[in-house]
Amino acid sequence: MNRRTGRRSGESTARDDILEAARKLFSNNGFDRTTLRQVADSAGVDPALISHYFGNKRGLFVAAVEFPSDPAAVLEPVRTCPLDELAATTLRQILQVWASPAGPSVIARFRQALTGGEDELVRDLLTSVILAPIRERLRGTGDDLDLRLTLFASQVAGLLVTREILALPPLRAADIDALVAAVAPNLQRYLTGAITQ
Amino acid sequence: MNRRTGRRSGESTARDDILEAARKLFSNNGFDRTTLRQVADSAGVDPALISHYFGNKRGLFVAAVEFPSDPAAVLEPVRTCPLDELAATTLRQILQVWASPAGPSVIARFRQALTGGEDELVRDLLTSVILAPIRERLRGTGDDLDLRLTLFASQVAGLLVTREILALPPLRAADIDALVAAVAPNLQRYLTGAITQ
Protein backbone atom coordinates (compact mmCIF):
# COMPACT_ATOMS: atom_id res chain seq x y z
CA MET A 1 0.00 0.00 0.00
CA ASN A 2 2.77 2.40 0.96
CA ARG A 3 4.79 1.43 -2.09
CA ARG A 4 1.75 2.02 -4.34
CA THR A 5 1.16 5.47 -2.88
CA GLY A 6 4.84 6.30 -3.31
CA ARG A 7 4.87 5.18 -6.95
CA ARG A 8 1.73 7.07 -7.78
CA SER A 9 3.18 10.30 -6.44
CA GLY A 10 6.40 9.81 -8.46
CA GLU A 11 4.41 9.00 -11.59
CA SER A 12 2.28 12.03 -11.09
CA THR A 13 5.32 14.33 -10.98
CA ALA A 14 6.85 12.87 -14.15
CA ARG A 15 3.46 13.05 -15.87
CA ASP A 16 3.04 16.71 -14.89
CA ASP A 17 6.60 17.50 -16.03
CA ILE A 18 5.86 15.91 -19.40
CA LEU A 19 2.60 17.84 -19.80
CA GLU A 20 4.24 21.12 -18.87
CA ALA A 21 7.08 20.55 -21.36
CA ALA A 22 4.59 19.48 -24.03
CA ARG A 23 2.41 22.54 -23.53
CA LYS A 24 5.41 24.84 -23.94
CA LEU A 25 6.79 23.05 -27.02
CA PHE A 26 3.40 22.66 -28.75
CA SER A 27 2.67 26.35 -28.10
CA ASN A 28 6.05 27.54 -29.38
CA ASN A 29 6.61 25.15 -32.27
CA GLY A 30 3.21 23.70 -33.16
CA PHE A 31 2.10 20.10 -33.37
CA ASP A 32 4.05 19.04 -36.45
CA ARG A 33 7.39 20.48 -35.41
CA THR A 34 7.29 19.05 -31.90
CA THR A 35 8.77 15.58 -31.37
CA LEU A 36 8.30 13.20 -28.46
CA ARG A 37 12.08 13.23 -28.02
CA GLN A 38 12.09 17.02 -27.57
CA VAL A 39 9.34 16.73 -24.97
CA ALA A 40 11.20 13.93 -23.19
CA ASP A 41 14.47 15.91 -23.17
CA SER A 42 12.74 19.03 -21.93
CA ALA A 43 10.94 17.11 -19.17
CA GLY A 44 14.04 15.08 -18.27
CA VAL A 45 12.34 11.70 -18.79
CA ASP A 46 12.75 8.73 -21.08
CA PRO A 47 10.62 8.97 -24.30
CA ALA A 48 9.22 5.52 -23.47
CA LEU A 49 7.55 7.05 -20.42
CA ILE A 50 5.61 9.42 -22.68
CA SER A 51 4.32 6.52 -24.77
CA HIS A 52 3.46 4.71 -21.55
CA TYR A 53 1.31 7.58 -20.29
CA PHE A 54 -0.10 9.05 -23.48
CA GLY A 55 0.17 6.44 -26.23
CA ASN A 56 1.39 8.70 -29.01
CA LYS A 57 1.89 12.35 -29.94
CA ARG A 58 -1.82 12.94 -30.51
CA GLY A 59 -2.64 11.49 -27.11
CA LEU A 60 -0.01 13.72 -25.52
CA PHE A 61 -1.40 16.73 -27.38
CA VAL A 62 -4.96 16.04 -26.27
CA ALA A 63 -3.76 15.71 -22.67
CA ALA A 64 -1.57 18.83 -22.93
CA VAL A 65 -4.42 21.04 -24.10
CA GLU A 66 -6.59 19.48 -21.40
CA PHE A 67 -9.19 18.49 -23.93
CA PRO A 68 -11.78 16.84 -21.73
CA SER A 69 -12.93 14.28 -24.29
CA ASP A 70 -10.99 11.84 -26.47
CA PRO A 71 -11.47 12.96 -30.09
CA ALA A 72 -10.21 9.64 -31.46
CA ALA A 73 -12.95 7.70 -29.63
CA VAL A 74 -15.61 10.30 -30.43
CA LEU A 75 -14.76 10.27 -34.12
CA GLU A 76 -14.50 6.48 -34.49
CA PRO A 77 -17.76 6.24 -36.54
CA VAL A 78 -16.27 8.67 -39.05
CA ARG A 79 -13.78 5.98 -40.07
CA THR A 80 -16.42 3.62 -41.37
CA CYS A 81 -19.53 5.57 -42.43
CA PRO A 82 -20.40 6.02 -46.14
CA LEU A 83 -18.60 8.97 -47.73
CA ASP A 84 -21.85 10.82 -48.39
CA GLU A 85 -22.70 10.62 -44.69
CA LEU A 86 -19.31 11.92 -43.56
CA ALA A 87 -20.62 15.35 -42.59
CA ALA A 88 -23.78 14.16 -40.83
CA THR A 89 -21.85 11.50 -38.90
CA THR A 90 -19.12 13.91 -37.77
CA LEU A 91 -21.56 16.67 -36.85
CA ARG A 92 -23.76 14.31 -34.84
CA GLN A 93 -20.77 13.03 -32.86
CA ILE A 94 -19.54 16.56 -32.16
CA LEU A 95 -22.99 17.82 -31.08
CA GLN A 96 -23.29 14.85 -28.75
CA VAL A 97 -20.00 15.76 -27.06
CA TRP A 98 -21.19 19.33 -26.51
CA ALA A 99 -24.40 17.99 -24.96
CA SER A 100 -22.52 15.47 -22.79
CA PRO A 101 -21.11 16.00 -19.28
CA ALA A 102 -17.76 16.85 -20.95
CA GLY A 103 -19.45 19.57 -23.00
CA PRO A 104 -19.02 22.56 -20.68
CA SER A 105 -15.28 21.85 -20.33
CA VAL A 106 -14.80 21.50 -24.09
CA ILE A 107 -16.57 24.79 -24.65
CA ALA A 108 -14.77 26.60 -21.83
CA ARG A 109 -11.44 25.33 -23.16
CA PHE A 110 -12.23 26.59 -26.67
CA ARG A 111 -13.30 29.96 -25.36
CA GLN A 112 -10.22 30.29 -23.17
CA ALA A 113 -7.88 29.32 -25.99
CA LEU A 114 -9.42 31.90 -28.32
CA THR A 115 -8.53 34.72 -25.97
CA GLY A 116 -5.51 33.36 -24.18
CA GLY A 117 -3.27 33.68 -27.22
CA GLU A 118 -3.34 29.91 -27.73
CA ASP A 119 -4.53 30.21 -31.33
CA GLU A 120 -1.86 27.79 -32.47
CA LEU A 121 -2.98 25.12 -30.01
CA VAL A 122 -6.59 25.34 -31.22
CA ARG A 123 -5.41 25.37 -34.83
CA ASP A 124 -3.38 22.22 -34.28
CA LEU A 125 -6.14 20.56 -32.32
CA LEU A 126 -8.51 21.22 -35.22
CA THR A 127 -6.26 20.31 -38.10
CA SER A 128 -4.09 17.54 -36.63
CA VAL A 129 -6.58 15.79 -34.38
CA ILE A 130 -10.25 16.57 -35.05
CA LEU A 131 -10.08 16.86 -38.83
CA ALA A 132 -7.59 14.00 -39.21
CA PRO A 133 -10.16 11.16 -39.58
CA ILE A 134 -12.09 13.12 -42.22
CA ARG A 135 -8.89 13.95 -44.08
CA GLU A 136 -8.05 10.24 -43.98
CA ARG A 137 -11.37 9.32 -45.57
CA LEU A 138 -11.11 11.95 -48.33
CA ARG A 139 -7.44 11.40 -49.21
CA GLY A 140 -7.05 11.19 -52.98
CA THR A 141 -10.62 12.26 -53.79
CA GLY A 142 -9.60 15.59 -55.36
CA ASP A 143 -8.05 19.01 -55.02
CA ASP A 144 -8.71 21.66 -52.41
CA LEU A 145 -8.78 19.17 -49.52
CA ASP A 146 -7.18 21.63 -47.10
CA LEU A 147 -9.62 24.37 -48.07
CA ARG A 148 -12.56 21.94 -47.81
CA LEU A 149 -11.52 20.82 -44.32
CA THR A 150 -11.07 24.37 -43.05
CA LEU A 151 -14.43 25.46 -44.47
CA PHE A 152 -15.90 22.49 -42.60
CA ALA A 153 -14.08 23.67 -39.45
CA SER A 154 -15.41 27.20 -39.93
CA GLN A 155 -19.02 26.02 -39.79
CA VAL A 156 -18.42 23.78 -36.77
CA ALA A 157 -16.54 26.52 -34.91
CA GLY A 158 -19.37 28.92 -35.76
CA LEU A 159 -21.95 26.54 -34.33
CA LEU A 160 -19.91 26.29 -31.15
CA VAL A 161 -19.72 30.08 -30.86
CA THR A 162 -23.36 30.82 -31.66
CA ARG A 163 -25.07 27.82 -30.02
CA GLU A 164 -22.82 27.11 -27.04
CA ILE A 165 -21.18 30.45 -26.23
CA LEU A 166 -23.58 33.17 -27.45
CA ALA A 167 -26.54 30.81 -26.98
CA LEU A 168 -28.63 32.31 -29.80
CA PRO A 169 -32.13 31.11 -28.84
CA PRO A 170 -33.21 29.32 -32.06
CA LEU A 171 -29.94 27.35 -32.14
CA ARG A 172 -30.19 26.53 -28.43
CA ALA A 173 -33.74 25.33 -28.90
CA ALA A 174 -32.99 23.11 -31.92
CA ASP A 175 -32.39 19.45 -31.05
CA ILE A 176 -29.52 17.44 -32.52
CA ASP A 177 -31.65 15.87 -35.28
CA ALA A 178 -32.91 19.27 -36.41
CA LEU A 179 -29.40 20.73 -36.40
CA VAL A 180 -27.99 17.81 -38.36
CA ALA A 181 -30.79 18.19 -40.92
CA ALA A 182 -30.14 21.93 -41.25
CA VAL A 183 -26.33 21.99 -41.17
CA ALA A 184 -24.98 18.63 -42.42
CA PRO A 185 -25.87 19.24 -46.11
CA ASN A 186 -23.82 22.44 -45.99
CA LEU A 187 -20.91 20.62 -44.35
CA GLN A 188 -21.14 17.81 -46.90
CA ARG A 189 -21.03 20.36 -49.74
CA TYR A 190 -17.77 21.68 -48.30
CA LEU A 191 -16.32 18.16 -48.22
CA THR A 192 -17.48 16.70 -51.52
CA GLY A 193 -19.52 19.31 -53.44
CA ALA A 194 -18.64 22.04 -55.96
CA ILE A 195 -17.03 24.84 -53.98
CA THR A 196 -15.41 26.88 -56.75
CA GLN A 197 -16.97 29.21 -59.30
CA MET B 1 -13.48 80.10 -30.78
CA ASN B 2 -13.48 79.99 -27.01
CA ARG B 3 -17.20 79.43 -26.96
CA ARG B 4 -16.84 76.57 -29.47
CA THR B 5 -14.08 74.90 -27.41
CA GLY B 6 -16.20 75.29 -24.31
CA ARG B 7 -19.22 73.72 -25.97
CA ARG B 8 -17.22 70.84 -27.40
CA SER B 9 -15.88 69.95 -23.98
CA GLY B 10 -19.39 70.03 -22.50
CA GLU B 11 -20.74 67.94 -25.37
CA SER B 12 -17.98 65.43 -24.92
CA THR B 13 -18.83 64.89 -21.26
CA ALA B 14 -22.53 64.44 -21.95
CA ARG B 15 -21.72 62.09 -24.83
CA ASP B 16 -19.48 59.98 -22.61
CA ASP B 17 -22.11 59.94 -19.87
CA ILE B 18 -24.70 58.71 -22.37
CA LEU B 19 -22.37 55.99 -23.68
CA GLU B 20 -21.52 54.80 -20.18
CA ALA B 21 -25.19 54.62 -19.21
CA ALA B 22 -26.04 52.88 -22.47
CA ARG B 23 -23.33 50.26 -22.03
CA LYS B 24 -24.60 49.42 -18.57
CA LEU B 25 -28.27 49.26 -19.58
CA PHE B 26 -27.67 47.30 -22.80
CA SER B 27 -25.47 44.84 -20.88
CA ASN B 28 -27.97 44.36 -18.07
CA ASN B 29 -31.25 44.46 -19.99
CA GLY B 30 -30.40 43.76 -23.63
CA PHE B 31 -31.17 45.82 -26.71
CA ASP B 32 -34.94 45.34 -26.84
CA ARG B 33 -35.64 46.08 -23.19
CA THR B 34 -33.52 49.24 -23.09
CA THR B 35 -35.22 52.51 -23.99
CA LEU B 36 -33.67 55.85 -24.92
CA ARG B 37 -35.57 57.39 -22.02
CA GLN B 38 -33.90 55.00 -19.55
CA VAL B 39 -30.50 55.87 -20.95
CA ALA B 40 -31.29 59.59 -20.78
CA ASP B 41 -32.51 59.32 -17.18
CA SER B 42 -29.49 57.29 -16.16
CA ALA B 43 -27.08 59.74 -17.83
CA GLY B 44 -28.97 62.78 -16.55
CA VAL B 45 -29.55 64.26 -20.01
CA ASP B 46 -32.51 65.09 -22.21
CA PRO B 47 -33.52 62.23 -24.58
CA ALA B 48 -33.30 64.69 -27.48
CA LEU B 49 -29.55 64.91 -26.87
CA ILE B 50 -29.20 61.17 -27.51
CA SER B 51 -30.99 61.52 -30.84
CA HIS B 52 -28.79 64.48 -31.62
CA TYR B 53 -25.59 62.52 -31.06
CA PHE B 54 -26.55 59.00 -32.15
CA GLY B 55 -29.63 59.27 -34.37
CA ASN B 56 -31.57 56.34 -32.90
CA LYS B 57 -31.27 53.35 -30.58
CA ARG B 58 -29.28 51.31 -33.12
CA GLY B 59 -26.82 54.15 -33.59
CA LEU B 60 -26.43 54.45 -29.82
CA PHE B 61 -25.90 50.70 -29.54
CA VAL B 62 -23.23 50.65 -32.24
CA ALA B 63 -21.43 53.51 -30.50
CA ALA B 64 -21.83 51.90 -27.06
CA VAL B 65 -20.23 48.62 -28.13
CA GLU B 66 -17.52 50.64 -29.87
CA PHE B 67 -18.16 48.87 -33.13
CA PRO B 68 -15.56 50.48 -35.39
CA SER B 69 -17.65 50.35 -38.55
CA ASP B 70 -21.20 51.40 -39.28
CA PRO B 71 -23.20 48.23 -40.03
CA ALA B 72 -26.08 50.20 -41.55
CA ALA B 73 -23.79 51.74 -44.18
CA VAL B 74 -21.91 48.49 -44.79
CA LEU B 75 -25.14 46.55 -45.29
CA GLU B 76 -26.86 49.13 -47.52
CA PRO B 77 -26.53 46.93 -50.68
CA VAL B 78 -28.43 44.17 -48.84
CA ARG B 79 -31.57 46.33 -48.97
CA THR B 80 -31.78 46.33 -52.75
CA CYS B 81 -30.05 43.21 -54.14
CA PRO B 82 -32.11 40.33 -55.63
CA LEU B 83 -33.32 37.85 -52.98
CA ASP B 84 -31.27 35.01 -54.44
CA GLU B 85 -28.12 37.12 -54.08
CA LEU B 86 -28.83 38.05 -50.45
CA ALA B 87 -26.16 35.75 -49.03
CA ALA B 88 -23.44 36.59 -51.56
CA THR B 89 -24.06 40.33 -51.17
CA THR B 90 -24.01 40.24 -47.38
CA LEU B 91 -20.96 37.99 -47.19
CA ARG B 92 -18.99 40.13 -49.64
CA GLN B 93 -19.74 43.29 -47.64
CA ILE B 94 -18.72 41.61 -44.38
CA LEU B 95 -15.49 40.18 -45.81
CA GLN B 96 -14.62 43.64 -47.16
CA VAL B 97 -15.01 45.14 -43.68
CA TRP B 98 -12.67 42.51 -42.21
CA ALA B 99 -10.10 43.32 -44.91
CA SER B 100 -10.49 47.09 -44.42
CA PRO B 101 -8.55 49.34 -42.01
CA ALA B 102 -11.45 48.86 -39.54
CA GLY B 103 -11.02 45.07 -39.73
CA PRO B 104 -8.54 44.52 -36.90
CA SER B 105 -10.72 46.54 -34.49
CA VAL B 106 -13.88 44.66 -35.48
CA ILE B 107 -12.13 41.35 -34.93
CA ALA B 108 -10.49 42.40 -31.67
CA ARG B 109 -13.84 43.65 -30.41
CA PHE B 110 -15.53 40.33 -31.25
CA ARG B 111 -12.77 38.34 -29.58
CA GLN B 112 -12.87 40.51 -26.47
CA ALA B 113 -16.64 40.33 -26.20
CA LEU B 114 -16.60 36.52 -26.45
CA THR B 115 -14.39 36.24 -23.40
CA GLY B 116 -15.30 39.33 -21.46
CA GLY B 117 -18.74 38.04 -20.54
CA GLU B 118 -20.38 40.37 -23.04
CA ASP B 119 -22.21 37.56 -24.80
CA GLU B 120 -25.44 39.49 -24.65
CA LEU B 121 -23.92 42.51 -26.36
CA VAL B 122 -22.60 40.39 -29.24
CA ARG B 123 -25.94 38.58 -29.43
CA ASP B 124 -27.81 41.85 -29.69
CA LEU B 125 -25.33 43.29 -32.15
CA LEU B 126 -25.83 40.23 -34.34
CA THR B 127 -29.58 39.89 -34.13
CA SER B 128 -30.74 43.50 -33.80
CA VAL B 129 -28.23 45.26 -36.02
CA ILE B 130 -26.29 43.05 -38.42
CA LEU B 131 -29.06 40.58 -39.25
CA ALA B 132 -31.78 43.25 -39.30
CA PRO B 133 -31.54 44.18 -43.02
CA ILE B 134 -31.66 40.50 -44.03
CA ARG B 135 -34.62 39.89 -41.74
CA GLU B 136 -36.32 42.86 -43.34
CA ARG B 137 -35.84 41.42 -46.83
CA LEU B 138 -37.12 37.95 -45.85
CA ARG B 139 -40.10 39.05 -43.77
CA GLY B 140 -43.17 37.06 -44.76
CA THR B 141 -41.30 34.54 -46.95
CA GLY B 142 -41.89 31.59 -44.65
CA ASP B 143 -41.38 29.87 -41.32
CA ASP B 144 -38.17 29.36 -39.40
CA LEU B 145 -36.88 32.86 -40.10
CA ASP B 146 -35.19 33.13 -36.70
CA LEU B 147 -33.52 29.75 -37.12
CA ARG B 148 -32.44 30.63 -40.66
CA LEU B 149 -30.89 33.91 -39.54
CA THR B 150 -28.99 32.32 -36.67
CA LEU B 151 -27.69 29.51 -38.89
CA PHE B 152 -26.49 32.27 -41.22
CA ALA B 153 -24.84 33.97 -38.23
CA SER B 154 -23.19 30.70 -37.18
CA GLN B 155 -21.37 30.39 -40.52
CA VAL B 156 -20.29 34.03 -40.54
CA ALA B 157 -19.08 33.86 -36.93
CA GLY B 158 -17.22 30.66 -37.79
CA LEU B 159 -15.47 32.34 -40.72
CA LEU B 160 -14.43 35.15 -38.42
CA VAL B 161 -13.02 32.69 -35.88
CA THR B 162 -11.21 30.42 -38.34
CA ARG B 163 -10.04 32.98 -40.91
CA GLU B 164 -9.42 36.08 -38.81
CA ILE B 165 -8.64 34.75 -35.33
CA LEU B 166 -7.19 31.24 -35.79
CA ALA B 167 -5.93 32.19 -39.27
CA LEU B 168 -6.24 28.67 -40.72
CA PRO B 169 -3.90 28.93 -43.74
CA PRO B 170 -6.25 27.86 -46.59
CA LEU B 171 -8.90 30.33 -45.41
CA ARG B 172 -6.33 33.10 -44.97
CA ALA B 173 -5.00 32.45 -48.46
CA ALA B 174 -8.42 32.46 -50.18
CA ASP B 175 -9.39 35.81 -51.70
CA ILE B 176 -12.84 37.34 -51.27
CA ASP B 177 -14.16 36.04 -54.62
CA ALA B 178 -13.08 32.48 -53.80
CA LEU B 179 -14.62 32.67 -50.33
CA VAL B 180 -17.90 34.03 -51.66
CA ALA B 181 -18.00 31.23 -54.26
CA ALA B 182 -17.34 28.59 -51.60
CA VAL B 183 -19.49 29.92 -48.74
CA ALA B 184 -22.36 32.01 -50.18
CA PRO B 185 -24.34 29.02 -51.57
CA ASN B 186 -24.34 27.52 -48.06
CA LEU B 187 -25.47 30.81 -46.55
CA GLN B 188 -28.17 31.19 -49.22
CA ARG B 189 -29.44 27.68 -48.43
CA TYR B 190 -29.84 28.73 -44.79
CA LEU B 191 -31.84 31.79 -45.85
CA THR B 192 -34.09 30.42 -48.59
CA GLY B 193 -33.40 26.68 -49.05
CA ALA B 194 -34.83 23.51 -47.51
CA ILE B 195 -33.36 23.26 -44.02
CA THR B 196 -35.65 20.69 -42.42
CA GLN B 197 -35.79 16.95 -42.87
Side-chain angles (χ1 to χ4, degrees), chain B residues 123-181:
Chain B
R123 196 158 56 224
D124 283 339
L125 186 64
L126 268 174
T127 56
S128 303
V129 180
I130 296 179
L131 295 175
I134 306 177
R135 177 188 298 277
E136 205 63 43
R137 292 297 309 276
L138 292 176
R139 195 184 298 285
T141 58
D143 291 339
D144 303 319
L145 185 51
D146 282 337
L147 179 60
R148 289 175 183 281
L149 289 169
T150 48
L151 287 166
F152 184 96
S154 79
Q155 174 61 85
V156 173
L159 270 186
L160 195 146
V161 166
T162 50
R163 184 173 198 241
E164 307 295 336
I165 296 181
L166 300 180
L168 297 183
L171 288 180
R172 285 305 287 172
D175 65 19
I176 289 183
D177 285 342
L179 278 177
V180 170

Side-chain angles (χ1 to χ4, degrees), chain A residues 2 10-11 23 28 38 59 62 68 72 87 90 99 110-111 119 128 130 155-157 162 187 196:
Chain A
N2 274 347
E11 275 180 4
R23 249 174 240 127
N28 292 342
Q38 286 172 331
V62 169
T90 310
F110 181 83
R111 186 175 186 141
D119 301 351
S128 302
I130 295 179
Q155 174 62 84
V156 173
T162 50
L187 289 173
T196 51

Side-chain angles (χ1 to χ4, degrees), chain A residues 19-186:
Chain A
L19 286 175
E20 196 184 327
R23 249 174 240 127
K24 198 171 290 177
L25 285 162
F26 282 136
S27 284
N28 292 342
N29 307 330
F31 182 81
D32 287 336
R33 281 168 293 135
T34 298
T35 65
L36 290 188
R37 170 153 296 282
Q38 286 172 331
V39 176
D41 286 353
S42 170
V45 304
D46 191 279
L49 198 59
I50 301 183
S51 305
H52 170 69
Y53 286 140
F54 304 103
N56 54 23
K57 191 160 86 167
R58 269 191 210 169
L60 174 61
F61 184 79
V62 169
V65 300
E66 294 164 344
F67 202 71
S69 164
D70 177 3
V74 166
L75 296 174
E76 187 58 37
V78 175
R79 299 184 193 282
T80 50
C81 71
L83 270 193
D84 63 356
E85 290 171 22
L86 211 46
T89 304
T90 310
L91 179 60
R92 185 175 294 278
Q93 293 299 106
I94 290 172
L95 290 172
Q96 279 169 357
V97 169
W98 296 349
S100 78
S105 311
V106 173
I107 292 149
R109 185 76 189 109
F110 181 83
R111 186 175 186 141
Q112 180 195 333
L114 272 191
T115 47
E118 299 177 292
D119 301 351
E120 197 158 348
L121 276 184
V122 179
R123 196 158 57 224
D124 284 338
L125 185 64
L126 269 175
T127 57
S128 302
V129 179
I130 295 179
L131 295 175
I134 306 177
R135 177 188 297 278
E136 205 64 42
R137 292 299 308 278
L138 292 176
R139 196 186 298 284
T141 57
D143 292 340
D144 304 317
L145 185 50
D146 282 336
L147 179 60
R148 289 176 183 281
L149 289 169
T150 48
L151 286 167
F152 184 96
S154 80
Q155 174 62 84
V156 173
L159 270 186
L160 194 146
V161 167
T162 50
R163 184 172 197 241
E164 308 295 334
I165 295 181
L166 299 179
L168 298 182
L171 289 180
R172 287 304 288 173
D175 65 19
I176 289 183
D177 286 340
L179 278 178
V180 169
V183 177
N186 278 9

